[in-house]
Amino acid sequence: MASPIFRDMFSMPSKPSDASKQETEVPIIPVEEDAETLGAMLQILYPIDPPTIESLMLAGKLVQAFDKYFISMTKLQYHLRSTLNLESSLETAPLRCFSISWKLGLEPEAVRASRYTHSSNLSKMAVAEAIISNSGDLAALVALWDLRYRREESLGNFTDLVQPSTNIVCRIHGQLSVKFSSDRVRRARLKEVLNVPYPTCEDPEHFLGF
């Protein structure tokens, strides 16, 4: 059986009933999961038509159920990968996508989802607690902070190539002094740029805040 919890549940005696009906009654085992979650879980575990999972809410419920019943998360990877890559899921609930991807061990999906989280305030207690709760791992929050830091630093390093002011020589006007925005202002601008998951750069000077 796919779950040791299921095995033990079915081996437990059912609720006592009338002796005359005991032989014909089907045992009833109460569970907390709703019909949609339980149905999808059974479709994944046993050789029948696989479920179509497009709801991130259902994906989260399945992760919780698999964790609760000690079922290997690898069984979920194939079925939830497409859901976690849906643009609608990433735009509406990027932190949840990241957390679920982390719990399932789907690193490419977790990294992609992290790109959509730059506008989220990771310093808020409620946000941090939700990430840890949904991923089941404090390391997920640390990794998300690290991904954000490295992206900001990578872009910020470009600004270090240009001094706040520099002198250039023009054939017409002679020597000119050009001043750029301060490093602090430029770095703040780059943080805003990263609020877009995949920013484009049509005007380098504007993009880098010069």
Side-chain angles (χ1 to χ4, degrees), residues 191-203:
K191 285 186 178 182
E192 293 180 1
V193 166
L194 287 173
N195 286 339
V196 178
Y198 296 94
T200 57
C201 177
E202 297 179 358
D203 182 352

Side-chain angles (χ1 to χ4, degrees), residues 98 110-111 114 118 143-152:
F98 172 82
V111 172
S114 72
H118 280 265
L144 188 55
W145 269 113
D146 182 61
L147 285 166
R148 176 175 295 192
Y149 173 79
R150 284 191 285 141
R151 288 193 188 109
E152 292 175 353

Side-chain angles (χ1 to χ4, degrees), residues 147-163:
L147 285 166
R148 176 175 295 192
Y149 173 79
R150 284 191 285 141
R151 288 193 188 109
E152 292 175 353
E153 282 299 296
S154 295
L155 279 178
N157 288 337
F158 282 108
T159 68
D160 296 337
L161 300 175
V162 181
Q163 298 297 320

